[in-house]
Amino acid sequence: QKSEIFRYRYRFKLPDSSPISTKRFDSTNKNEEKTRSTDSSLFGPIKRFKEKVKSFWKKYGLVAIITYQIIYLGTVAGAYISFHYELIPSFDTSSALDSIHETIVNLTNKDNPDPPKWAEDGFNKLKISSENNPKVKNLLMAVLVTEVSEPVRQVAVFLMTPPIARILGKIPK
């Protein structure tokens, strides 16, 4: 083990007081070895990402929430205007509602095959009103497009929140 450290230092001509750590070559440090083995698993990156997201929300708090809501409402409004003025071609909302309804029923009612009455009534009313009223159809399409664009909006929130917090003077400590 010691010769491996020596070869590394000799190969790159690092002095003994180099700030570069050689702990990763030292097998006597058991704690680092354990963390390395758990982090290299399949779920290590997912855990690290979740921790980063939690720390982001703790760090920026209200600024991040308001930024998210503004981006969400802006996306809905932009999609609605695009569908209203036919900048984006419309799609069949009744088939989209049917597939969403089937998915929700399958996920929530595994034990009970009959969906709740309120769910049936709500989807049927929404389906009928979207077929009869073009404004409701445009709003429904805008909400569906907004929900599909969730990953892109989340990236935008993570990129935009720190500069907005700096501008507002809400820089976390």
Side-chain angles (χ1 to χ4, degrees), residues 10-29:
Y10 180 74
R11 181 175 170 201
F12 294 105
K13 298 179 181 170
L14 298 174
D16 288 338
S17 62
S18 171
I20 297 175
S21 173
T22 56
K23 286 184 182 179
R24 64 181 181 188
F25 295 105
D26 188 7
S27 65
T28 59
N29 194 345

Side-chain angles (χ1 to χ4, degrees), residues 4 7 9-10 15 22 39 45 61 64 73 79 91 99 104 111 122 125-126 134 152-153 156 161 169:
E4 188 175 356
R7 272 189 261 135
R9 286 186 177 278
Y10 180 74
T22 56
D39 285 347
L73 294 174
F91 54 88
S99 66
I104 290 173
D111 299 332
K125 286 179 184 176
L126 190 58
V152 175
R153 287 186 292 115
T161 300

